[in-house]
Amino acid sequence: MASPLQPVRGTRDLIGEDFRAHHHVVETARRVAALYGFEEWSTPIFEDTRVFSRGLGDTSDVVSKEMYTFTDRGGDSITLRPEATAGLCRALVSNGLVQSNLPRKVFYTGPMFRYERPQKGRYRQFHQIDVEVLGAAEPLADAEVIACGWDVLNALGIADGVVLEINTLGDAESRDAYRAALVAYLSDHRASLSEDSQVRLEKNPLRVLDSKDETDKRIVAGAPVMRDHLTADAARFYDKVLGYLTGFGVPFRQNDRIVRGLDYYSHTAFEFVTDRLGAQGTVLGGGRYNGLVEEMGGPPTPSVGWAAGIERLSMLLAAPPPAPRPVAVIPVAEAQEPEALALAQQLRAAGVVTEVAYKGNLKRRMERANKLHARVALILGEDEAKQGVVQFRDLDGGSQETLSRDEAVRRLSA
Ligand code: ATP
Ligand code: MG
């Protein structure tokens, strides 16, 4: 026999409990997002590389080190999407949706791809849920997407122990002033910074604030903060966001170090963090991005949104939702199979999860029903078939009674 093939490093199969947890997260988020008026979109898993990599200025780890980029057979540079936002902005422009009917409120879910070092809570194919308000400059939009994220965590029963940390990255003018102060400070510590951060200091100094290196973190702890360099406009915008969050009843903590992992943010930046997942403590992150749609060739379209990792949310669930318990329809002998199948179809049509054991005598079929963790067995022998009834056996309580088939279906679909 050939040695068994393995999944590619950093990818995983979702089977049984793992799939049910994943599905539960998606369904819960979809339901909550719909309550806020988000409509669901689906865009391709791979895009023109330029959708994600926009010029030489991009210094984020995601774009500079983690992308799955390849040349396809036609010679085009293609990238498996590392995130949803850029593709959604591309779709807004390519579908001509930028002129009218803004804002568009979009919910998204699907697989994302990043070439990272795999570990618990960090994969090369992972999955996100994502909400974006495309084309809204108002601070209320920032607060609303955050409130939606908070509601998703509450609906999943995992909000306890997760904290919203929020920061502002200001507008362009604020950022220029801040960058100058930050560069002055970091330059004094240049020799002690990690190699990566020395490069960041040259290319995009704000990115040093996001470093995961321990020495960098100690240096960053003493760095000047954006809040002291905000223009009056940027400060007012941030105050409004915080005020609306209070209005929505979302608790938060200000954290001057949050800059986010992608380069396109301005004004609001936020993360929902927990200490229950070790180094992978950010479950949800997002912010405002005012220039991205323009970079896709559209008009100025200020937007705000977030993405959350489904694997990390799943790990926080207290218990994955249980598998549904079927009803087992059991023909005692082959002669009763046609009637058993008709009864099974009647049950399924009434919305009842139903299984028919494929083969064997009554004993074998009952064993199969127990393995399936069936809640009820409907047993059809020769007499039952003649009289149009079934034996209704409660597999938890053990009681058994004779019921007409319609009565059995009625009871099980209630
Ligand atoms: P991190 O700091 O953990 O690398 P990030 O800032 O790169 O996260 P985002 O790009 O903001 O993450 O993506 C939003 C969310 O997607 C993260 O908060 C996390 O829950 C999830 N996520 C990101 N990368 C991965 C990954 N490789 N595996 C699993 N989940 C991930
Ligand atoms: Mg990352």
Side-chain angles (χ1 to χ4, degrees):
M1 240 187 334
S3 59
L5 290 170
Q6 298 298 323
V8 172
R9 188 166 137 79
T11 69
R12 52 203 279 275
D13 303 308
L14 291 174
I15 296 174
E17 262 188 14
D18 292 335
F19 184 86
R20 290 199 303 277
H22 186 103
H23 184 72
H24 177 63
V25 169
V26 172
E27 285 305 310
T28 304
R30 184 175 270 141
R31 179 172 59 73
V32 172
L35 292 174
Y36 281 76
F38 288 88
E39 55 168 335
E40 188 161 352
W41 286 13
S42 178
T43 62
I45 282 176
F46 55 84
E47 297 268 3
D48 185 319
T49 297
R50 290 170 296 180
V51 169
F52 307 108
S53 179
R54 293 169 302 274
L56 295 171
D58 202 318
T59 52
S60 64
D61 282 355
V62 174
V63 175
S64 62
K65 298 187 196 159
E66 298 173 358
M67 295 216 299
Y68 277 92
T69 298
F70 60 96
T71 306
D72 73 6
R73 288 168 195 273
D76 294 323
S77 179
I78 300 292
T79 294
L80 298 184
R81 63 182 181 201
E83 49 123 356
T85 312
L88 292 172
C89 291
R90 194 275 305 142
L92 189 81
V93 176
S94 7
N95 289 280
L97 304 175
V98 280
Q99 303 303 348
S100 60
N101 211 10
L102 294 178
R104 301 290 287 230
K105 298 169 74 173
V106 182
F107 171 77
Y108 198 91
T109 182
M112 306 294 155
F113 305 86
R114 296 183 190 179
Y115 194 80
E116 301 198 68
R117 194 168 69 77
Q119 51 200 297
K120 196 169 173 232
R122 192 176 293 286
Y123 306 97
R124 288 181 175 174
Q125 174 173 332
F126 63 102
H127 300 78
Q128 286 183 336
I129 48 172
D130 181 290
V131 306
E132 312 286 345
V133 178
L134 302 166
E138 301 77 16
L140 182 51
D142 305 50
E144 192 184 59
V145 297
I146 294 173
C148 177
W150 178 240
D151 271 0
V152 169
L153 299 178
N154 273 295
L156 290 170
I158 59 177
D160 259 9
V162 178
V163 176
L164 166 61
E165 298 200 329
I166 188 164
N167 190 21
T168 177
L169 303 176
D171 48 19
E173 199 184 320
S174 318
R175 230 171 7 263
D176 287 346
Y178 177 58
R179 191 180 297 114
L182 184 65
V183 168
Y185 170 84
L186 291 176
S187 298
D188 287 344
H189 296 82
R190 181 191 303 266
S192 317
L193 287 172
S194 69
E195 239 170 81
D196 274 352
S197 283
Q198 294 189 16
V199 175
R200 293 180 185 122
L201 178 54
E202 299 303 323
K203 286 189 164 176
N204 185 352
L206 259 70
R207 196 128 292 298
V208 177
L209 300 181
D210 199 32
S211 172
K212 294 187 170 101
D213 179 271
E214 288 304 323
T215 311
D216 287 355
K217 280 191 192 167
R218 272 197 295 281
I219 295 171
V220 160
V225 297
M226 175 66 88
R227 247 194 298 169
D228 296 336
H229 296 83
L230 295 178
T231 59
D233 278 355
R236 201 172 313 119
F237 189 96
Y238 187 43
D239 281 346
K240 282 199 162 168
V241 174
L242 300 185
Y244 288 134
L245 282 177
T246 305
F248 279 122
V250 181
F252 59 85
R253 182 161 78 197
Q254 294 191 62
N255 178 345
D256 293 308
R257 304 296 165 216
I258 290 183
V259 292
R260 307 290 309 119
L262 292 151
D263 272 352
Y264 46 62
Y265 290 104
S266 59
H267 288 289
T268 318
F270 56 91
E271 294 184 343
F272 283 88
V273 297
T274 174
D275 53 16
R276 287 171 54 203
L277 297 176
Q280 273 59 253
T282 306
V283 291
L284 183 156
R288 173 164 283 283
Y289 47 97
N290 286 350
L292 195 52
V293 174
E294 261 175 297
E295 292 185 43
M296 303 293 165
T301 309
S303 303
V304 59
W306 54 254
I310 296 176
E311 286 78 3
R312 293 185 197 177
L313 294 172
S314 297
M315 283 158 70
L316 291 176
L317 292 179
R325 296 184 63 188
V327 166
V329 176
I330 298 183
V332 172
E334 217 174 304
Q336 287 89 49
E337 276 178 354
E339 283 184 280
L341 301 188
L343 177 59
Q345 294 310 74
Q346 201 184 335
L347 283 161
R348 289 165 178 156
V352 179
V353 178
T354 304
E355 291 260 18
V356 187
Y358 294 144
K359 62 166 192 238
N361 56 22
L362 178 61
K363 182 162 170 282
R364 288 273 309 271
R365 293 197 203 232
M366 283 306 293
E367 278 167 10
R368 178 75 192 144
N370 283 322
K371 272 224 180 80
L372 292 168
H373 202 43
R375 53 190 174 115
V376 166
L378 297 180
I379 303 160
L380 259 166
E382 207 180 327
D383 291 348
E384 285 83 12
K386 262 188 220 139
Q387 293 158 30
V389 297
V390 286
Q391 296 300 325
F392 185 107
R393 187 182 295 178
D394 176 342
L395 294 176
D396 291 332
S399 65
Q400 182 166 320
E401 54 189 312
T402 309
L403 294 181
S404 78
R405 289 178 204 167
D406 287 346
E407 173 60 13
V409 172
R410 201 190 53 74
R411 231 190 249 188
L412 290 167
S413 60

